[in-house]
Amino acid sequence: MDTNKSSQFQEQDQSPGSRLVVCIDDKKGGKPTLTLENPSEKNLQELNSNGYGIFETANSFFATSEQIRLLSKKLRKSITKRQTEFLSQLNEVYIDAD
């Protein structure tokens, strides 16, 4: 076993950030209404039974409350951790190879 690859994966697993779960209330026009970090399965099941679509981000994001507040102030709009500025790890890449 290549120990360099093994330690590389361990470092990636320990990097800050997590995948986020976006919940969209189908009754409110399909716009994301909730962004959750590490929600419980029970919480997601409850939201889904109340009409929310549940979508997990492919990549990991990390931001402190202070970072979110400062960027929101700078951009003059409400933001979430799903901003490009807070991308901490690229986990997946999608391509359309026609």
Side-chain angles (χ1 to χ4, degrees):
M1 178 175 180
D2 185 349
T3 57
N4 288 338
K5 285 184 181 179
S6 177
S7 64
Q8 182 182 23
F9 289 125
Q10 288 173 357
E11 288 176 23
Q12 289 176 352
D13 291 342
Q14 295 172 2
S15 67
S18 62
R19 291 182 177 199
L20 304 174
V21 176
V22 178
C23 303
I24 300 173
D25 187 347
D26 294 333
K27 300 171 205 146
K28 294 188 178 181
K31 292 188 177 186
T33 53
L34 295 171
T35 300
L36 307 172
E37 188 172 0
N38 302 319
S40 70
E41 186 175 333
K42 182 180 178 185
N43 187 8
L44 293 177
Q45 288 173 344
E46 185 177 310
L47 287 166
N48 189 247
S49 67
N50 287 324
Y52 284 85
I54 309 295
F55 305 90
E56 183 179 14
T57 60
N59 299 309
S60 298
F61 296 85
F62 176 80
T64 64
S65 297
E66 181 67 9
Q67 289 170 320
I68 292 171
R69 187 187 67 76
L70 290 172
L71 186 60
S72 182
K73 186 176 179 180
K74 178 181 175 183
L75 298 178
R76 299 177 192 262
K77 65 179 185 177
S78 179
I79 64 168
T80 69
K81 287 186 179 183
R82 292 184 301 116
Q83 302 294 122
T84 304
E85 292 85 352
F86 303 136
L87 178 66
S88 64
Q89 184 172 330
L90 194 63
N91 301 321
E92 299 176 26
V93 178
Y94 297 99
I95 62 169
D96 185 4
D98 284 345

